[in-house]
Amino acid sequence: MTDRNEFIVCADLEEISWKVTVKFVALANDTIKKRGVFRVALAGGRTPEAFYKLLANNEFRDRLDWTAVHFFWGDERCVPPEHEDSNYKMTLNSLIKHIRIPEENVHRIKGEEASEKAAAEYEEEIRHCFEPGEEAIPEFDLILLGMGADGHIASLFPGTHAIREDKKLVVAVYVEKLGATRITLTQPVIKNARNIIFLITGEDKSVTFRKVLSGEYMPNTFPAQIARSTKGNVLWFLDFFPGLVG
Ligand code: 6PG
């Protein structure tokens, strides 16, 4: 377990959203001051929506120079951008429409395209934006993640080939339990982030959370355990007590 884990226990999603917004603005401004750009991979699912809406309101949105911010996604469903399941659509409506971020700074995963093609294009776009050098792994300033009750993060689901990918930055993966194909960042990219913020709510996830943090290291079973071997800081925003994590 890295000593760069910080657990922030909140009363509810509202408090989590508020504290993540404050942290996001501070981290973004600090990063922009140091390096002139802030590259963040956004999370999908339901939990982060309240945070996105808070970041978009006039209390916070004017505290950032959005021209220095680049949005990516940790994963996307293989659906068109206007589909109700699209992570992009959720983020567009809750955040992007309300801030002055340049269109070219929004690096959408093209879920409407054939999945392998969309994954390859997204990887190319990431490489172009980061220019890490041929073999290097891009270093996101921040990756936002949720966690499923099965311990999945992004679209790295237990037992899928995606969790074992250690060369590509992005893969397409058919998720049996969902009966759907997803496109996702891979382990190497997530592990290389300077900062990871988890937003996790619900007692149903607290049991999995403790196995993730303290159980035997089995990322193929609990993909969120990847966070135990990252190089960066990991902030866990929770609405339950973490218990003894070793
Ligand atoms: C997605 C997310 C996924 C999500 C978890 C938790 O595309 O759905 O990337 O990894 O973060 O499934 O989802 P909730 O926040 O809805 O519980």
Side-chain angles (χ1 to χ4, degrees):
M1 208 62 159
T2 68
D3 58 3
R4 288 181 295 284
N5 282 273
E6 185 182 345
F7 304 97
I8 304 96
V9 180
C10 302
D12 51 24
L13 179 57
E14 185 181 351
E15 187 184 353
I16 287 176
S17 304
W18 181 269
K19 288 187 174 175
V20 171
T21 302
V22 170
K23 181 65 185 172
F24 182 99
V25 170
L27 183 61
N29 279 325
D30 184 48
T31 305
I32 292 166
K33 193 171 165 193
K34 284 180 187 157
R35 285 193 290 278
V37 65
F38 182 62
R39 299 181 185 103
V40 51
L42 302 174
R46 292 180 306 277
T47 305
E49 189 170 5
F51 151 60
Y52 295 143
K53 286 179 178 172
L54 199 52
L55 186 57
N57 88 16
N58 48 22
E59 166 85 29
F60 289 101
R61 68 168 169 246
D62 297 333
R63 297 189 194 181
L64 271 180
D65 172 8
W66 292 105
T67 63
V69 178
H70 282 258
F71 281 161
F72 296 81
W73 277 262
D75 70 326
E76 185 56 280
R77 291 81 181 277
C78 287
V79 294
E82 62 277 4
H83 192 283
E84 61 178 8
D85 289 346
S86 165
N87 286 334
Y88 168 76
K89 180 180 179 179
M90 182 271 282
T91 331
L92 176 71
N93 290 335
S94 54
L95 176 57
I96 296 171
K97 275 197 306 198
H98 309 286
I99 59 175
R100 286 192 293 276
I101 187 166
E103 200 174 320
E104 62 272 21
N105 289 21
V106 178
H107 308 277
R108 181 176 72 85
I109 302 173
K110 297 187 177 79
E112 69 278 19
E113 290 187 354
S115 58
E116 300 295 338
K117 179 170 182 279
E121 284 179 356
Y122 186 49
E123 173 150 343
E124 188 49 41
E125 182 144 354
I126 291 172
R127 286 199 172 282
H128 178 72
C129 187
F130 281 77
E131 295 171 1
E134 269 314 296
E135 296 306 310
I137 304 287
E139 202 173 35
F140 277 90
D141 297 301
L142 173 62
I143 296 182
L144 289 157
L145 292 171
M147 185 189 79
D150 62 356
H152 80 263
I153 53 174
S155 283
L156 299 177
F157 283 81
T160 61
H161 68 83
I163 184 75
R164 296 187 295 276
E165 176 59 51
D166 62 2
K167 295 282 181 299
K168 292 179 183 173
L169 308 182
V170 182
V171 291
V173 55
Y174 178 72
V175 184
E176 197 78 34
K177 72 184 286 189
L178 301 177
T181 301
R182 297 279 190 93
I183 294 166
T184 184
L185 292 180
T186 58
Q187 271 206 57
V189 182
I190 294 171
K191 283 179 175 176
N192 203 39
R194 287 195 174 94
N195 298 278
I196 292 176
I197 287 181
F198 276 98
L199 296 86
I200 305 176
T201 61
E203 275 305 321
D204 63 323
K205 296 183 183 180
S206 63
V207 174
T208 303
F209 170 82
R210 293 183 188 101
K211 289 178 186 165
V212 164
L213 269 289
S214 307
E216 185 189 345
Y217 188 67
M218 305 185 291
N220 193 41
T221 305
F222 296 109
Q225 287 186 335
I226 292 171
R228 285 169 48 174
S229 50
T230 60
K231 72 171 194 184
N233 305 309
V234 186
L235 287 81
W236 304 81
F237 289 84
L238 313 167
D239 70 350
F240 52 81
F241 282 95
L244 294 175
V245 289

